Amino acid sequence: MTSAPRVAIVGAGPAGIYAADILLSRVPNARIDLLEKLPAPYGLVRYGVAPDHPRIRKIIDALHDVLQHPSIRLRANIEVGVDITVDELRVTYDGVILATGADRDMALDLPGADLPGSFGAADLVAWYDAHPDVPRTWPLAAESVAVLGAGNVALDVTRILAKHAADLDRTDTPDEVLDALAANPVRDIHLFARRGPADVRFSALELRELGEQRDVDVIVDPVELELDAHGERMLEQFSQRRIILRTLREWADRPSSSLTASRRIHLHFRQRPVRILGEQDVRGIEMERTASDPLGRMVGTGDLVRHDVGAVYRAIGYRSSAVPGAPFDQVSGVVPHREGRVVDADGVPIPRLYATGWIKRGPIGLIGSTKSDAAQTVQHLVDDLAAPDRIGDGNDRLGDGSDPLAHLVHAVDWTGWLRIDAAERRAGAQRGRERTKLVDRSDMIATATPKPSAVGARLKAAFRTHPAGIAIITAATPSGPVGLTASSVASVAVDPAAIMFSVTRATGSAGALLDADTFAVHLIDDDHADLAQTFATSGADRFTPEQGWVTLDSGEPHLPSARAALRCRALHTIPVGSSTVVIAEVLEIVAGTSGRPLVYLDRRFHSLPIHSERN
């Protein structure tokens, strides 16, 4: 195996991030570049989960922890096939894993499907989730709407269309989406499933949420809940189906006099679409009633039903887009492969090219199920790296340690994403939210890009004097410009490993900017012990024995404890006086342990005197 294999993963959603995590668990010295087309990571967790589902979005916390690993580099705002080709990646990396997911709607071959007012659910989801590459307006003009599908996406679309905008005000939904939803004239949403109530694909929990909305009634015809022999078998085999049917029957048993909400969701079963009606735009939809044959397959009965609706949303599944330069099966909508090894038209594995996630297996399974899928792909990559007769095609990887992505100067790196994240959290805090998303791509990139400053110029001068790296210290007060310091450091075009950043007084805003992997030793005062603990729990397991955590407290200097803290991974509180001289003594320990010159940046950014010339 290559001593330190370099792997590129295309796609920074759950599939790509899980693949990176699994690869590092099996090849700890691997170096991974994670390429993402959007300016932000996390894929469908950020841009495909409904805003009223914060528990699912918490998956981002786990993905964030993976991306902080020092062996992973995020390079967002990079489109493979435009900014760099698959073949170029294969030349310069020991392995390339495609993990681009599924980003568009499955086609529905139906007369009238292309009428104005007929929409794909993926487009609507991207709109209300503030995807940067979709229009910011949406034509919510119909009083009666049809949703086609029996999965969780269909339930999401139905729920968001029925929900009152005020009930989303504490989510990260952008104002333009809230304004459009507030003006939505819809009164009736009809959800159609071609199978019976014992065969639907959505989860019991998501179904229950339909009936938990304010001023929304769920209406079910008891006749449509009658089960045939196939339905009875499904109930016997699957407990979730029994829970679903119990919920549906509760709704069906409600007296009509109790249904007084201003918006209604109608659930219809055993109906499949025949045609969407209208000449200039959607005016209705014609459905055919279905029944189960002895094998449980849905067959038409010839009984047609018309529903007057002004819009139709097709939520019948996602489909992957081809990655330019990689094989793609247009029929199945996936990359052809053998257990994750991408193959050519003759079925021969393409050297160093792999796939995982929905582009590998199709849009099936929940977010967490991508882990087992990634494990299979990664294992084959690991086996290929170790094979003595390793598959090759004569191409030579770069052996000089150069960066194969250095020319992609518009890339958004991890620090850039943290700037976006911090900006969104600040905007959200003003509204009592966790965050408010940035929507416009140019705004995201501008936020991610460090601003030039006098501090940055001074830091560059320091690096010219000490190119091997320096330790940077700032004594920033709670009202001081800690963020400016972090941005300035990040703007210096050097290897982040050459920088150790220490703060003698950190604020909460600094926590989003000072990355525990880029800025390795942090000095945090006793007023912010919670921040210190956050740093410690998120980063301590990745520190080398020579690095550690130091907190500053009022009192007398205790330099032996400082030395101990810098030789272990534990969190230590070190009493020190408020004197700058005393603080400098502790900081000398940092410089001495790191073996780097120490640069002290005063709180007014007046100077960058060198306190130590240790090499």
Side-chain angles (χ1 to χ4, degrees), residues 111-125:
D114 57 350
L115 280 171
S118 173
F119 307 104
D123 293 332
L124 177 71
V125 172

Side-chain angles (χ1 to χ4, degrees), residues 73 103 148 157 215 237 239 261 302 344 367 373 403 412 438 497 511:
R73 295 196 312 171
D103 59 353
L148 307 178
V157 168
D215 193 32
Q237 296 178 40
S239 60
D344 61 19
I367 292 173
D373 183 62
D403 182 359
V412 173
L438 290 174

